[in-house]
Structures are given as C-alpha cells and as structure tokens.
C-alpha cells in the first residue's frame, strides 16, 4: 500500500541537516519518522504537592509515522491539593482513518517561526522532529529568546497540535 503525503511548505528554503528552518515552512516533510511534543512545565501553574506521583503540566506525546501511533505520558488529578489523586497515564494508541489524518494535518500545520519575543507565563514546550538520520528540536516561540534552541515554531500551531493529540480517546 502506498501512502502519498502532500505537505505545506515544501520547496526551497533554509534547512539544518534537512530539517526546515525557514519561517513559515512546515516542520513536516517526507522522511519524518517520529514527532515528539513535550511540555517541560513552568508557567504560572502551582507545583504538585509533596508526594504527588506526577505533574499534570509536564507531558509528552510521540507520533510515529512508521507505525501510525500516538503514545503519551500524561498526568491527571482530581484535587490539586491532595497528592494521592495524582495519577500518571501512559498509553499507546493506533491511529487510523480520520484520527491519523487529523494528527498528521495538525503536525503539518506546525510552522517555523522568526519571532524573537519572550513570554514569561506559559509552559515551556518543545517539538522534536526525527528521521532515520537525525533530529531537530524546536522551541516554542512564546519563549523565542531561549538560547537553548536554534529554531522555533509558532506557539499557536503548537496549541492546535496539543488539542488534536489530547483529544484522541
């Protein structure tokens, strides 16, 4: 079975080892094997109480283009003051049909940013795009002043990706 992808932002432009670094271009291109989207926490959220098993503001979603799956490591709680209610959740979901199309489109809509501003009140997020030969880690342009990253992606497109990934049952 052959699968053909039409990706926004294909064509000439700047790259870093084949990964897009041109503002406005999609991070998704033929050959991408894995996309990992992570929240490192931060922002204006309370810290979990001592003894909590996890932090609901730190999570990871990984989308495998090889297996058409979404894995996730998240945390839920019903009472932010009670450490016994913090529950880590790890799952692996096979994506097909509309779910795969929705996730693939949300990733393709993530574009490289040229913003240089720096926020102070949101979670710190990063997106890693990997192929068989390497990977590039993009920072969220909400914190575009963070020198830990050489390239950034649009924060609004990350919001949309987070919505798509977290909506999968």
């Amino acid at each position: 079975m052959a699968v053909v992808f039409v990706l926004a932002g294909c064509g000439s432009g700047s790259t870093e080892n084949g990964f897009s670094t041109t503002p406005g271009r999609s991070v998704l291109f033929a050959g991408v094997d894995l996309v990992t989207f992570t929240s490192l926490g931060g922002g204006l959220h309370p810290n979990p109480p001592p003894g909590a098993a996890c932090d609901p503001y730190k999570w990871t979603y990984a989308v495998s283009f090889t297996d058409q799956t979404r894995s996730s490591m998240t945390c839920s709680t019903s009472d932010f003051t009670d450490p016994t209610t913090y529950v880590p959740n790890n799952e692996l979901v096979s994506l097909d049909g509309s779910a795969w199309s929705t996730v693939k489109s949300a990733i393709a809509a993530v574009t490289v940013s040229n913003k240089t501003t720096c926020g102070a009140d949101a979670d710190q997020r990063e997106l890693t795009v990997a192929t068989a030969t390497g990977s590039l880690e993009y920072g969220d342009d909400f914190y575009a002043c963070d020198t830990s990253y050489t390239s950034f992606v649009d924060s609004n497109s990350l919001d949309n990706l987070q919505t798509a990934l977290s909506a999968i049952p």
Side-chain angles (χ1 to χ4, degrees):
M1 177 175 143
V3 178
V4 177
F5 293 79
V6 177
L7 303 175
C10 293
S12 64
S14 299
T15 63
E16 182 176 312
N17 298 320
F19 296 90
S20 180
T21 58
T22 301
R25 287 194 55 193
S26 173
V27 298
L28 187 59
F29 57 92
V32 169
D33 295 325
L34 182 68
V35 173
T36 306
F37 183 27
T38 303
S39 171
L40 304 172
L44 296 178
H45 304 293
N47 289 324
C54 55
D55 183 339
Y57 302 106
K58 294 182 180 180
W59 43 259
T60 298
Y61 292 101
V63 177
S64 169
F65 280 74
T66 306
D67 301 330
Q68 291 188 2
T69 59
R70 188 227 54 195
S71 62
S72 62
M73 293 182 290
T74 61
C75 177
S76 60
T77 185
S78 58
D79 180 350
F80 284 92
T81 62
D82 182 356
T84 64
T85 66
Y86 285 72
V87 179
N89 305 300
N90 298 307
E91 64 182 3
L92 178 65
V93 178
S94 293
L95 304 172
D96 56 10
S98 64
W100 178 245
S101 178
T102 298
V103 168
K104 190 172 57 178
S105 294
I107 294 170
V110 176
T111 57
V112 177
S113 173
N114 63 353
K115 288 185 181 175
T116 58
T117 57
C118 201
D121 59 355
D123 299 353
Q124 182 180 355
R125 301 178 301 181
E126 59 189 27
L127 186 80
T128 303
V129 177
T131 66
T133 59
S135 64
L136 180 62
E137 191 174 81
Y138 297 89
D140 180 343
D141 74 359
F142 186 83
Y143 291 109
C145 63
D146 184 345
T147 59
S148 304
Y149 304 96
T150 58
S151 295
F152 293 88
V153 289
D154 177 70
S155 190
N156 291 328
S157 62
L158 289 180
D159 292 342
N160 294 335
L161 178 57
Q162 182 178 349
T163 298
L165 292 171
S166 63
I168 296 169

